[in-house]
C-alpha cells in the first residue's frame, strides 16, 4: 500500500510539473489595486506560488518586524502561507480543488494581507487550476434497461451519467459504446456543459430471437493523460406496448424563492398515454442521469406528477437546478419519455452580515493619544445585490469610531484620552446592517481592556491605627493588620509593606515588631511587659511595584494592656533563715490589741494590684482577726488560762485580678507574761505538724503485707503436714505380698521397666473409683509401685505413680479394687518415647529411678 501511494504521489507530481512547464510561471493580474495568481491543485508543501515582497514593493528585511501575515477567518484552513524571510507565497498544505470549490467554474482563494507600522491591507486572489486527478465513475457497475420489442428505430434511451469531480476538459468529455448490431450512442450536452449519453436503437428488436443484449459503456474525460470509467448495460427486450406517454412540452421553467419551505409545490407535470388500463396509467420519476443533489432537494409524486420541494434551497450555493423527469406507463414493455424542468431560484435576504476581527491590538494604554488604531474589522454578506451591501457603525457613548479604509474593511480608532481608573474596560458594540428589505443586522461586541499606568499612590484605609496588645503575648503572634488600597491594577497595584527605621527605649523598632510585606499583618517579636513599656508608635509604609514606585505612610499606636501576671509579694513580716516569722504577744493584751501588720505589694496595675487580706489558718479563730484592706492583725478577745501559749496563724494576701493570685505568710505568735527587750529567735520552729506528719497509708500497707505473708506461711505448713501424714500411713499399711506386688527386694531393676509394663486392663463399666495397677519389676529394690488412675485419666497420656497401700477399713472393696489379672487401658494411642536424645548407658538407671520417684511423688500429692 505504501509503495502504491508513493507511486501515485510521484505521478501526481510529474503531472503538476508538466502542467507548470506548459502553463509557464504563475500568472499575476493586477486589477483595481490587487494581485491575482494562478496555481494548480495538489502541489506539495512548500511549492512556490508568487514573490509577494517583490510584487507589492515591500522591503523584505522588514516583513517580520511589521508582522506581515495572511488574515483569515476563524476556523478556515490555511492553504497558503508567506515566508517572512524572503516574502515568497508558498503552498502550506495540499490544495484539493474539488474540496475547496464544490461548484464548477473558476475556483479562487481570496487572501487578505496585513502589514503594520503603518497599517496596510492588500487583497490577493489565487486561482486554483484543476488537474486531471479523478477518473469518471458510474453510480452502478451494471444497469438494467428494459426496451420494448416494438420500439421504433431511432428511439432514445437516456443512460446513467458518469460523475467526474474535475472540471473543464478534465471532466467527462465523451462516452463510447462497445460494438453491437442494435444500438448506437449519442452524447448530449446540458446547459452547464456537462455530458450525458443516450442509447439509440439502430435495428429492430425481436424478443423471440434474443431477449437480452449486453453492451459496455465507457466514459472518457478530456484530461492528459486520459482517464476512463466503465459500466455494463443489460438491455432486456419486453413485449410490445405500442403507445408511449407524451409530455405537454419537452422543457419547463419555474422560479422559486430560496426560502421556500419544504413541501412547496414546484410544478405540476402532465403526460398523456393513449392506451387504456395499466398501459395508460402513468408513473413519474427522476431520470437515471438526474444529479444526486437534485434528488436531495426535490421529490416527485409518482402518480400525480407533482414536483415538491424536499430540502432547503440556498441561492448562494446554486441559483439554478436542472431536473430531468421521466414518465412511463404501467403496462408491459413500458417505454419512458423524458422532459426537463429548470428551477430558477430568487435571492432572498436570508444571510446576515458577518463581522470578523482581522487584527486586534489590545489592551490599549490609558495614556494612548487619540487616533490610535485598536482593531481592523472586515464585514461580509453572502447575499447578492442590495442584500449584500453592508454599512457598519459603533455604539454611542464610547471614545471610539470606525474609519473605512476601502470596501467592507474598517479600522477602529480612539477619539479621546482614556482613564482606566474611571472605565477599566470598554465593550464596544459594532453593528453591521445590509441594504436588503427587510434589512438584516449583526451586532458584535469587542471587549477593549485599558492597560494601567502607575499614576495613583497607595492610600491607607485609616489615617492612623491604634492597637491594644495584652502583655505576656506569645512572640510571633499577630497583633494587628494594616491595609492600603491602590486604584491602579496588576503590578502598579501590588503593595508591599515595611516598617520605617526607629528606636523604642533605645532598641531598634525591628526587634519589637515585624510586618508581612504582602498581607500587612504585624507580629510582635517579643513578649511585651506592661510593667516595662506601656505604649509606643511606629511608622508603616506601603509602596506599590510600579515604575516609578509610589508610597504612603501611616502611624500605628501600640498600647500594652496589663495582665494579672504578678502575684502579691509579702514584704512584712519577713521570715528569718527560711523559718516561720515569729511575734510575741503579752497575755495581758486587751481586745483590739495590734499584734502587727502584714504588708504586701503587687507589680500589676488597676484591679490586678488591689490587695485583700484574710486569715486562712489559725490555732484559734476566735482569738485573732486580720483587717481585709490594711492587713492589721488584732486580738478579738482577752487571753484565757486555757489558751495555748503558742498560736500559729496563716495569713493570705489575694489580688483583684481574674483569675486572682495570692500569697501566704505563716506567723508563730508566742504568748508571754512580760514582753522582753529583745525578740527571741524562733528559728527552731519548723513547718506545722500537719504538713510533716506522716500519712496513715504507710501503716495500712505494712498491715496488709504482714497479713499476706502470714497466710502464705500458714498454707505451706498445712500442706507439709498433710503430705507427711499421707507418707506415714503408706509406710505403715503397705507390704510387698507376691500375689499383689510383683517386686522382690533382691531383684535387679530393669532398664525397660516402664516400657514393658502392661497397661491394657480396662476399668469396669460405670465405675468411678480409681484403678490401680501393679508394676512388676519396674521399680528400685525394696519398693513396690502401683499405677493409680482416676476415671477421667483413662483417656490421658499421663501416669501418676504412688506407693502400693492396702485398702483402709472405712473403704468399700466392691467395684473399687482391681483383680490381679486385671489390666488398665491408659490410652488408645500409646505415646512413643522421644528418641532425639538418649542419655548414656551409665546414667539411665539413675534417671529411671528419678523418674519413678518424681512421678510417684506427684501422684501422692495429686491424690492427697
Amino acid at each position: 500500500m505504501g509503495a502504491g501511494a508513493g507511486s501515485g504521489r510521484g505521478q501526481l507530481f510529474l503531472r503538476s510539473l508538466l502542467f507548470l512547464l506548459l502553463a509557464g510561471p504563475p500568472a499575476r493580474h493586477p486589477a483595481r489595486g490587487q494581485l491575482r495568481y494562478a496555481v494548480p491543485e495538489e502541489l506539495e508543501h512548500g511549492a512556490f506560488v508568487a514573490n509577494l515582497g517583490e510584487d507589492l514593493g515591500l522591503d523584505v528585511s522588514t516583513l517580520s518586524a511589521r508582522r506581515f501575515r495572511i488574515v483569515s477567518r476563524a476556523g478556515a484552513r490555511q492553504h497558503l502561507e508567506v515566508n517572512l524571510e524572503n516574502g515568497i507565497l508558498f503552498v502550506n498544505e495540499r490544495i484539493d480543488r474539488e474540496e475547496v470549490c464544490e461548484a464548477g467554474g473558476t475556483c479562487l482563494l481570496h487572501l487578505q494581507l496585513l502589514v503594520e507600522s503603518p497599517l496596510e491591507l492588500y487583497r490577493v486572489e489565487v486561482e486554483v487550476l484543476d488537474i486531471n486527478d479523478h477518473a469518471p465513475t458510474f453510480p452502478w457497475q451494471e444497469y438494467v434497461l428494459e426496451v420494448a420489442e416494438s420500439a421504433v428505430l431511432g428511439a432514445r434511451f437516456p443512460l446513467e451519467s458518469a460523475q467526474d469531480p474535475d472540471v473543464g476538459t478534465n471532466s467527462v468529455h465523451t462516452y463510447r459504446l462497445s460494438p453491437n448490431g442494435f444500438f448506437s450512442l449519442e452524447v448530449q450536452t446540458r446547459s452547464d456543459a456537462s455530458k450525458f449519453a443516450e442509447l439509440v436503437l439502430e435495428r429492430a428488436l425481436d424478443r423471440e430471437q434474443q431477449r437480452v443484449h449486453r453492451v459496455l459503456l465507457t466514459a472518457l474525460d478530456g484530461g492528459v493523460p486520459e482517464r476512463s470509467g466503465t459500466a455494463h448495460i443489460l438491455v432486456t427486450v419486453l413485449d410490445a406496448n405500442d403507445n408511449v406517454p407524451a409530455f405537454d412540452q419537452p422543457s419547463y421553467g419555474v422560479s422559486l424563492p430560496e426560502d421556500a419551505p419544504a413541501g412547496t409545490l414546484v410544478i405540476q407535470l402532465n403526460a398523456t398515454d393513449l392506451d387504456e388500463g395499466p398501459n395508460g396509467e402513468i408513473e413519474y420519476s427522476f431520470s437515471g442521469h438526474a444529479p444526486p443533489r437534485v434528488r436531495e432537494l426535490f421529490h416527485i409524486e409518482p402518480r400525480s406528477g407533482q414536483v415538491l420541494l424536499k430540502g432547503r434551497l440556498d441561492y448562494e450555493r446554486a441559483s439554478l437546478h436542472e431536473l430531468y423527469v421521466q414518465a412511463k406507463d404501467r403496462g408491459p414493455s413500458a417505454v419512458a419519455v423524458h422532459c426537463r424542468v429548470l428551477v430558477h431560484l430568487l435571492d432572498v435576504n436570508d444571510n446576515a452580515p458577518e463581522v470578523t476581527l482581522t487584527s486586534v491590538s489590545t489592551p490599549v494604554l490609558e495614556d494612548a493619544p487619540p487616533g490610535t488604531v485598536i482593531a481592523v474589522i472586515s464585514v461580509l454578506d453572502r447575499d447578492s445585490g442590495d442584500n449584500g451591501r453592508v454599512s457598519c457603525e459603533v455604539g454611542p457613548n464610547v471614545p471610539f469610531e470606525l474609519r473605512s479604509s476601502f470596501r467592507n474593511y474598517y479600522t477602529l480608532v480612539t477619539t479621546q484620552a482614556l482613564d482606566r481608573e474611571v472605565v477599566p474596560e470598554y465593550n464596544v458594540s459594532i453593528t453591521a446592517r445590509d441594504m436588503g428589505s427587510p434589512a438584516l443586522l449583526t451586532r458584535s461586541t469587542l471587549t477593549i481592556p485599558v492597560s494601567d499606568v502607575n499614576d495613583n499612590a497607595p492610600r491607607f484605609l485609616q489615617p492612623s491605627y491604634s492597637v491594644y496588645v495584652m502583655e505576656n503575648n506569645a512572640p510571633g503572634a499577630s497583633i494587628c493588620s494594616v491595609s492600603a488600597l491602590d486604584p491602579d491594577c496588576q503590578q502598579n497595584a501590588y503593595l508591599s509593606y515595611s516598617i520605617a527605621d526607629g528606636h523604642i527605649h533605645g532598641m531598634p523598632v525591628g526587634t519589637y515588631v515585624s510586618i508581612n510585606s504582602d498581607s500587612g499583618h504585624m507580629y510582635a517579636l517579643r513578649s511585651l511587659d506592661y510593667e516595662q513599656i506601656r505604649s509606643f508608635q511606629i511608622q508603616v509604609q506601603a509602596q506599590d511595584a510600579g515604575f516609578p514606585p509610589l508610597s504612603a505612610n501611616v502611624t500605628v499606636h501600640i498600647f500594652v494592656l496589663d495582665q494579672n501576671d504578678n502575684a502579691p509579694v509579702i514584704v512584712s513580716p519577713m521570715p528569718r533563715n527560711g523559718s516561720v516569722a515569729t511575734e510575741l504577744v503579752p497575755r495581758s493584751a486587751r481586745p483590739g490589741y495590734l499584734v502587727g501588720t502584714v504588708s504586701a505589694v503587687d507589680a500589676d496595675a488597676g484591679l490586678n494590684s488591689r490587695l485583700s487580706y484574710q486569715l486562712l489558718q489559725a490555732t484559734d479563730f476566735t482569738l485573732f482577726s486580720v483587717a481585709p484592706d490594711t492587713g492589721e492583725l488584732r486580738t478579738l478577745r482577752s487571753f484565757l488560762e486555757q489558751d495555748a501559749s503558742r498560736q500559729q496563724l496563716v495569713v493570705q494576701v489575694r489580688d483583684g485580678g481574674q483569675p486572682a493570685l495570692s500569697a501566704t505568710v505563716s506567723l508563730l505568735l508566742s504568748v508571754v507574761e512580760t514582753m522582753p527587750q529583745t525578740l527571741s529567735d524562733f528559728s527552731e520552729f519548723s513547718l506545722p505538724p500537719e504538713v510533716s506528719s506522716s500519712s496513715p497509708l504507710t501503716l495500712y500497707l505494712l498491715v496488709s503485707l504482714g497479713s499476706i505473708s502470714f497466710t502464705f506461711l500458714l498454707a505451706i505448713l498445712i500442706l507439709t503436714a498433710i503430705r507427711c501424714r499421707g507418707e506415714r500411713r503408706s509406710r505403715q499399711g503397705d507390704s510387698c505380698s507376691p500375689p499383689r506386688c510383683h517386686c522382690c527386694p533382691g531383684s535387679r531393676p530393669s532398664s525397660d521397666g516402664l516400657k514393658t509394663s502392661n497397661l491394657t486392663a480396662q476399668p469396669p463399666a460405670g465405675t468411678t473409683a480409681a484403678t490401680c495397677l501393679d508394676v512388676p519389676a519396674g521399680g528400685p529394690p525394696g519398693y513396690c509401685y502401683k499405677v493409680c488412675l482416676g476415671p477421667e485419666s483413662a483417656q490421658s497420656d499421663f501416669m501418676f505413680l504412688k506407693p502400693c497401700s492396702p485398702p483402709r477399713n472405712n473403704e468399700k472393696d466392691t467395684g473399687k479394687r482391681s483383680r490381679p489379672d486385671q489390666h488398665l487401658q491408659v490410652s488408645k494411642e500409646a505415646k512413643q518415647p522421644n528418641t532425639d536424645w538418649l542419655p548414656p548407658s551409665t546414667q539411665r538407671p539413675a534417671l529411671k529411678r528419678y523418674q519413678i520417684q518424681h512421678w510417684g511423688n506427684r501422684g501422692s500429692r495429686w491424690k492427697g
Side-chain angles (χ1 to χ4, degrees), residues 93-347:
E93 62 179 14
R94 187 182 64 87
I95 304 175
D96 188 355
R97 184 194 178 284
E98 289 72 26
E99 179 183 354
V100 175
C101 302
E102 295 181 0
T106 305
C107 182
L108 295 176
L109 295 179
H110 299 277
L111 305 180
Q112 285 79 33
L113 304 176
L114 184 67
V115 64
E116 298 179 359
S117 300
L119 185 66
E120 294 179 347
L121 189 66
Y122 303 93
R123 297 185 64 181
V124 175
E125 291 181 353
V126 178
E127 180 182 1
V128 180
L129 302 178
D130 182 61
I131 64 174
N132 190 23
D133 57 341
H134 295 88
T137 58
F138 288 91
W140 296 278
Q141 294 298 319
E142 184 175 286
Y143 297 92
V144 177
L145 180 63
E146 295 177 349
V147 180
E149 64 176 345
S150 61
V152 296
L153 297 179
R156 297 174 178 270
F157 306 97
L159 301 177
E160 292 286 344
S161 299
Q163 304 296 326
D164 192 337
D166 295 327
V167 296
T169 57
N170 295 326
S171 64
V172 176
H173 179 65
T174 186
Y175 292 87
R176 293 178 185 173
L177 192 66
S178 61
N180 64 92
F182 293 91
F183 301 96
S184 64
L185 191 68
E186 285 190 11
V187 179
Q188 302 292 337
T189 303
R190 299 189 184 95
S191 60
D192 57 351
S194 61
K195 308 288 186 177
F196 68 94
E198 290 182 342
L199 198 64
V200 181
L201 182 62
E202 299 291 343
R203 178 181 173 186
L205 300 174
D206 190 355
R207 180 178 179 275
E208 285 69 25
Q209 292 183 4
Q210 186 176 356
R211 292 187 176 185
V212 177
H213 299 269
R214 298 179 181 273
V215 293
L216 179 65
L217 179 64
T218 304
L220 303 171
D221 63 19
V224 178
E226 185 181 67
R227 293 177 177 267
S228 63
T230 61
H232 293 277
I233 300 177
L234 182 64
V235 180
T236 302
V237 181
L238 304 176
D239 282 339
N241 183 9
D242 55 346
N243 289 292
V244 296
F247 284 98
D248 296 339
Q249 56 190 54
S251 179
Y252 298 86
V254 64
S255 297
L256 191 67
E258 66 171 333
D259 61 346
T264 301
L265 177 62
V266 179
I267 191 174
Q268 173 70 59
L269 297 177
N270 185 28
T272 58
D273 194 331
L274 299 178
D275 295 330
E276 295 180 355
N279 294 332
E281 295 177 4
I282 300 175
E283 289 185 352
Y284 302 87
S285 63
F286 285 113
S287 299
H289 53 77
R293 178 63 177 169
V294 170
R295 299 176 185 269
E296 294 175 2
L297 295 177
F298 301 93
H299 167 70
I300 297 180
E301 288 293 334
R303 302 302 298 271
S304 64
Q306 291 181 344
V307 180
L308 303 176
L309 182 61
K310 178 181 176 181
R312 183 178 178 181
L313 302 175
D314 190 359
Y315 176 86
E316 286 71 31
R317 185 172 181 179
S319 61
L320 175 65
H321 294 282
E322 192 171 4
L323 285 64
Y324 288 88
V325 181
Q326 69 178 8
K328 184 171 63 173
D329 60 28
R330 303 181 65 184
S333 304
V335 177
V337 294
H338 303 267
C339 73
R340 182 176 66 170
V341 179
L342 299 178
V343 180
H344 299 272
L345 298 186
L346 302 178
D347 185 36

Side-chain angles (χ1 to χ4, degrees), residues 731-747:
R731 287 193 299 268
Q732 292 176 358
D734 293 347
S735 62
C736 296
S737 58
R740 295 193 308 118
C741 184
H742 303 281
C743 58
C744 297
S747 63

Side-chain angles (χ1 to χ4, degrees), residues 114 136 186 233 332 387 413 446 538 559 583 727 732 799:
L114 184 67
E186 285 190 11
I233 300 177
N387 297 332
V413 298
L446 174 61
I538 59 177
F559 300 93
E583 189 68 30
E727 292 178 355
Q732 292 176 358
M799 295 184 298

Side-chain angles (χ1 to χ4, degrees), residues 112 172 184 193 278 362 403 415 426 457 488 680 703 768 811 841 857:
Q112 285 79 33
V172 176
S184 64
T362 58
R403 296 178 182 176
T415 58
Y426 291 91
D488 295 324
S680 302
V703 172
T768 59
E811 293 180 351
S841 57
N857 293 336

Side-chain angles (χ1 to χ4, degrees), residues 244 351 460:
V244 296
N351 292 284
F460 284 91

